[in-house]
Amino acid sequence: MKHYLHIIICTLLLMAVSTNMSAQGWPKDYSGIMLQGFYWDGFDDAQWAVLESQADDLARVFSLVWIPQSGNCGYKSMGYDDLYWFNDYNSAFGTEAQLRSMIKTFKEKGIGTIADVVINHRKNLTNWVDFPRETYKGETYEMVSTDICRNDDGGAAKKWAEENGYQVSANNDTGEDWGGMRDLDHKSENVQRCVRAYLDFLLNDLGYTGFRYDMVKGYSASFTGQYNAEAKPQFSVGECWDSSETISNWINGTKVDDVPQSAAFDFQFKYVCANAFNNGDYSKLGQKNPWGDMPLNSSSFKSGSFRQWAITFVENHDTEKRPDGSSNGPLEKDTLAANAYLLAMPGTPCVFMKHWLKYSNEIASMADVRRAAGIVNTSSYANMRSSKDYYATAVKVGDENRLVVVVGSNLEGWVPQASQYTQVLEGRHYRYYLANSLNTAWVDKASGTYRTGEMEVRLAAVTAAEGAKLVYTLDGSEPTAADTQVENGAAVVIPHGETTLKVGLLIDGKVSAVITRNYVVKNADEKDPVIIPDFCTVGEGEICAFFESPLSWSDIKCWAWDTNNNNVNYTGGSWPGQACNELGKASNGNAVWKWTYTGTFTTPPSHIIFSSNGAPQTADLPFFNGGYYTKDGFVEQVQVGIDDIFADGKPAGVRIYDLQGRRINSLTQKGLYIVNGKKYVVR
């Protein structure tokens, strides 16, 4: 009985520790990497359906994906003028159904979704003081004029309210004033009630894992602490855009029971990197930024005590060069080297979407090395050597240096001892070395799709053992001592197509530490095949067409007309035409739609256009009955039975040949024919 009691007590203690950890805002010794899954005006790339389609690729690298604020803001918006918190999630990035599907898919793949939470301010419906009236769990939530800070917009909100018969709060803002929208008074019980319900909705209804709080200098850090202590997100990060001292003070300001409730973005890490890489002076990585600050994750900042709470990055949607030309200290050079430095260092790295889209395979390879070294957010580091043209850093796990990263224009400026480290990765202005104590085989390219044609990968034997070699296979089988043996640094050719490469260390005749890479190698201009789903069918006598829409398109409309009949319209006469019916998903995740003509014409149109409710749209495309189309045009006609095709004569666009290759106009005899490139039997 005592034994079981001991187990129960231990279990309860572990549960208490687990609960406490989940309320700490960011886990200690965390090894994950976050992706900022959007950029400014990146509406197409950040569509929920587009992100969901990439879940497998993202899951190989990222544990967290931070997405734009997901509620409806009243029009096409990046979400920082938030309007609806509960009842309208059809936004510029997709529908609520698509959002829920993406979050669910991410969770199944091991990815947590981070919500962009904007509670410093809120947009109004028609005037300065009217907010949406919404319901959640049977309760009504509505902010009122007295939830607006007394000094909002320098007093302009109060002046307008009084002139129009309203009152604002008696409380001034607890943070910095901002005049873009109405600043919320977080001392208000109604505001707190609405925020608490909102966070509960994000976590427990939509399924988010955590929060990225926008513009946290706009209200007291204590409120972030208060909200998180109750909501208990697994992850929380605040945008406190300021000096390291201000950021660390903000983190401390979120404490509840002396435990910080949120991490913060390490802006000084970003600016130190921009200063070094933009100027080609890599020694600046070990110096303060131009404004006199060291990064939060730096060993020199308060003895590294804030590394757990440092979310490091080298670019984001506010600092990048935006389409309108504005920017705030953007990273302009050496993007790959900057990401190599980011992904080697302690803190939790947050990769910018534009960098991921351009360099996904390289970043994935860097992430592989980080994981192999076992680097976590609380790891420590030390500079090994520094000069204007290179900077070498050793990163520790426990008491052992596990990874050395060298960045700069002179990568030979400092090379670690071969007896201690083995080079595993190299690119423009960066190199990675792993400690030989790890005793593992290595491949310098991560699993993934490469549009390079036939390519080479380099193998590495990360070990201090004398005489160690590498063995590998290309067919997915476990390598043995009898398989191909090569030396450290050998190149292996990966052919076009799909290949599973397995590599192991061969020491004293025994194979160990086998690693696996799965590659899909394509030519640079190779297009993915279009596979027509089985659910695309054509009824007898039906005039119809199918459209596989890009993931960023929705609400597909069809516009069809006949140039042979005075351009008569088949789809309503008013652009963008007739709504299509969504049938399902193609194998690549794209939605497939069907347009069916329901009018009285007996002949088909000559041309067709598909659009996403008007824009974007396809080109003017020739119409083929039962045709399957993508945004690039006609693919082929859906296979239907011969009797169906010719029940009412031969429709336009159908090509018929006999086995001698002669084109014929109709099927009048039994036999074997080629119809639109496919064999059919007429009995």
Side-chain angles (χ1 to χ4, degrees), residues 313-346:
F313 68 103
V314 293
E315 195 72 293
N316 72 15
H317 64 291
D318 282 321
T319 62
E320 67 163 321
K321 282 193 173 178
R322 291 182 176 181
D324 64 3
S326 62
S327 62
N328 290 284
L331 178 68
E332 298 180 289
K333 298 178 182 177
D334 261 0
T335 301
L336 266 176
N339 277 281
Y341 185 69
L342 167 74
L343 288 164
M345 300 296 282

Side-chain angles (χ1 to χ4, degrees), residues 11 56 66 99 198 275 317 359 405 410 531 542 552 602 681:
T11 302
D56 286 329
W66 158 34
L99 172 68
Y198 177 40
N275 194 31
H317 64 291
Y359 301 113
V405 55
N410 177 19
I531 301 173
E542 186 177 29
S552 59
T602 57
V681 176

